[in-house]
Amino acid sequence: GYLPEMWIKNCVVVGLASAFVEPIEATSIGGTIQQLRCLIDNLYAYNPKSVAIQKTFNYKMNIMMENILSMIYLHYMSDRDDTEMWRAQKNMPVPEYLQNLLDLWSERPPSHYDIGYSNYEMFHVQHFYHVAQGQKVINLQGASRLLDEFNLREEAKNMYYNAKLGQSNHAKVDHFESLKQIQI
């Protein structure tokens, strides 16, 4: 969860004082960095009568937090029900931010315009797409139609092939030998 108003009058909360997402991910550190970036963009101009600065900061941080919470939630979307944790997860409400994306992606493939870049979002379409594809919540028929409609199937195959080739077309390095060469 997170505080919907992280900036009130002359007090701003950041980091764990403002939000808690999950203890084993770096999202908290990333969120804190984004909060500080937004704060730096606004703090120099702040005065006690600055209402719009506070309102905009809070608005942007709410979008950032909904983006983070939706990405975390997406990781836990599963058909598993073998433990109480997974059964409880099925009863958790889907964040509206994520539900809107899932509804859209059930009708067409994700577009890089689906998630903005101006509100300090930490996760963008490619991040969501990667996880959503693994969780099997992407409409594969829609993606296939897109490839066919724009004659991109062959290009996509070539890109995939070249990416796989790039993983193995370089000289192999023996880690032990590399470590021996490091001089302290």
Side-chain angles (χ1 to χ4, degrees):
Y2 63 93
L3 295 174
E5 291 187 50
M6 296 178 191
W7 190 335
I8 299 174
K9 297 185 181 185
N10 67 341
C11 293
V12 182
V13 292
V14 298
L16 292 175
S18 66
F20 181 80
V21 180
E22 72 177 331
I24 56 175
E25 290 289 335
T27 50
S28 177
I29 296 168
T32 302
I33 291 168
Q34 293 297 74
Q35 289 172 319
L36 294 172
R37 285 180 175 154
C38 189
L39 186 59
I40 289 166
D41 284 345
N42 292 285
L43 192 57
Y44 74 92
Y46 174 79
N47 69 59
K49 295 178 184 174
S50 298
V51 175
I53 288 175
Q54 292 174 54
K55 185 176 178 181
T56 301
F57 178 88
N58 289 329
Y59 172 78
K60 289 176 182 279
M61 293 302 98
N62 284 328
I63 291 172
M64 179 196 74
M65 288 308 304
E66 286 300 315
N67 173 267
I68 291 170
L69 293 172
S70 292
M71 175 55 86
I72 299 301
Y73 188 99
L74 184 59
H75 278 80
Y76 289 95
M77 292 184 82
S78 172
D79 57 359
R80 287 185 59 180
D81 63 359
D82 57 330
T83 66
E84 185 55 39
M85 191 275 299
W86 289 113
R87 288 188 289 276
Q89 174 60 24
K90 289 187 184 320
N91 294 322
M92 296 290 294
V94 178
E96 184 179 355
Y97 183 100
L98 177 59
Q99 189 61 58
N100 290 337
L101 291 172
L102 294 174
D103 291 345
L104 181 61
W105 296 344
S106 74
E107 298 175 7
R108 66 145 172 86
S111 162
H112 69 276
Y113 297 109
D114 293 342
I115 297 174
Y117 287 86
S118 61
N119 293 305
Y120 299 89
E121 292 89 343
M122 285 181 43
F123 301 104
H124 302 289
V125 169
Q126 61 271 28
H127 304 113
F128 276 87
Y129 186 86
H130 180 75
V131 177
Q133 184 179 13
Q135 300 297 59
K136 298 178 175 69
V137 296
I138 297 289
N139 179 335
L140 296 179
Q141 292 78 21
S144 184
R145 278 194 315 275
L146 175 75
L147 290 173
D148 292 337
E149 188 68 31
F150 292 101
N151 297 314
L152 296 172
R153 192 170 295 278
E154 195 62 35
E155 184 178 337
K157 284 180 187 176
N158 288 336
M159 288 174 65
Y160 177 77
Y161 173 78
N162 289 333
K164 292 301 264 181
L165 182 64
Q167 293 175 347
S168 61
N169 68 351
H170 55 278
K172 304 295 183 244
V173 176
D174 181 272
H175 289 237
F176 181 71
E177 291 300 318
S178 291
L179 290 173
K180 286 189 338 187
Q181 292 176 13
I182 295 175
Q183 295 183 12
I184 299 177

